[in-house]
Amino acid sequence: DGGITQSPKYLFRKEGQNVTLSCEQNLNHDAMYWYRQDPGQGLRLIYYSQIVNDFQKGDIAEGYSVSREKKESFPLTVTSAQKNPTAFYLCAVRGGGENSPLHFGNGTRLTVT
Amino acid sequence: SQKIEQNSEALNIQEGKTATLTCNYTNYSPAYLQWYRQDPGRGPVFLLLIRENEKEKRKERLKVTFDTTLKQSLFHITASQPADSATYLCALDRASGYSTLTFGKGTMLLVSP
């Protein structure tokens, strides 16, 4: 993690409920990302934000929403419209110039039953 | 469409040997390639970045090569240790700004004593 906090570590919800995953950073980086990871799958980009009050859809944005009201925070809401929400969700930040590496949080494992 | 391939089968080697992991890509012209390590239940951790005009990059026991003609990167861990056991992900980037990273599915490395 190193300055990126995802909470909670484990989250359980009933089908049909919206749920919000938290991601906070104290690295003062501009860009923040949400990825989803499923067993045997690579990381898939959900949403990303390069600056406060602006964000872009990634490859699998359907059923998710985000906000970026503060530089430090980039919460992800998994809505009831997401067909298969059970997954491992990873938040990452990126700063320091062109093509600098991603710094990831330790993830939230969401289980929807 | 762009595709990144990493060997889905786990690589099993003995302690002290050199581990070599492969990352192949198609329909892509990345300016940079990055390697990450991921332990179970945790977020990926950045290891090395190599640029398209670099043939090889080293960091302690790690070595990465990048062959843009073959569209392939090789990741080597010399004198491997059981603590090196993890999943290793390659990620491709494009030049300029806060472009997004596309990740391979990763290869699990198991180093036995």
Side-chain angles (χ1 to χ4, degrees):
Chain A
D1 45 25
I4 305 164
T5 303
Q6 289 190 244
S7 60
K9 179 70 175 174
Y10 299 95
L11 192 53
F12 298 87
R13 279 294 183 270
K14 295 289 187 184
E15 194 173 318
Q17 294 179 335
N18 291 356
V19 59
T20 297
L21 281 60
S22 170
C23 178
E24 302 282 329
Q25 57 120 346
N26 62 6
L27 299 174
N28 200 35
H29 287 337
D30 287 316
M32 298 187 73
Y33 302 77
W34 275 105
Y35 284 89
R36 168 183 173 142
Q37 188 173 37
D38 296 280
Q41 298 290 322
L43 277 68
R44 292 184 290 169
L45 182 64
I46 305 172
Y47 268 98
Y48 65 104
S49 168
Q50 297 182 10
I51 197 168
V52 174
N53 292 323
D54 187 46
F55 47 83
Q56 287 77 42
K57 293 182 179 180
D59 300 318
I60 55 165
E62 186 175 349
Y64 299 98
S65 66
V66 293
S67 63
R68 186 81 187 277
E69 297 176 1
K70 300 185 299 182
K71 189 174 185 178
E72 304 79 26
S73 179
F74 190 40
L76 173 74
T77 297
V78 184
T79 75
S80 56
Q82 167 52 230
K83 300 298 182 191
N84 297 294
T86 295
F88 188 47
Y89 290 88
L90 287 159
C91 176
V93 303
R94 194 177 199 185
E98 186 175 302
N99 297 293
S100 52
L102 290 178
H103 300 279
F104 285 88
N106 275 324
T108 292
R109 188 166 299 279
L110 173 65
T111 303
V112 177
T113 57
Chain B
S1 61
Q2 299 156 355
K3 198 171 180 182
I4 302 170
E5 290 184 349
Q6 293 186 257
N7 195 338
S8 59
E9 290 184 14
L11 177 63
N12 287 275
I13 64 168
Q14 270 198 311
E15 183 175 10
K17 303 290 185 183
T18 296
T20 299
L21 306 176
T22 305
C23 177
N24 295 301
Y25 59 92
T26 57
N27 299 325
Y28 219 132
S29 296
Y32 299 79
L33 188 146
Q34 301 183 15
W35 283 90
Y36 290 77
R37 168 185 173 139
Q38 186 176 23
D39 291 287
R42 299 183 69 87
V45 174
F46 170 74
L47 297 174
L48 280 169
L49 178 152
I50 186 166
R51 295 173 175 80
E52 61 179 339
N53 60 353
E54 297 176 318
K55 297 294 185 187
E56 181 179 297
K57 200 77 167 281
R58 290 176 185 260
K59 179 182 176 182
E60 298 173 350
R61 294 185 296 111
L62 309 181
K63 185 179 83 171
V64 173
T65 63
F66 194 9
D67 188 326
T68 55
T69 301
L70 291 178
K71 294 187 181 294
Q72 179 181 80
S73 174
L74 298 178
F75 177 80
H76 307 271
I77 305 176
T78 59
S80 60
Q81 305 165 1
D84 295 326
S85 298
T87 296
Y88 292 85
L89 308 170
C90 71
L92 274 66
D93 204 346
R94 293 184 183 87
S96 80
Y98 293 107
S99 58
T100 59
L101 284 175
T102 302
F103 284 82
K105 294 180 181 180
T107 299
M108 182 182 294
L109 172 65
L110 298 170
V111 182
S112 53

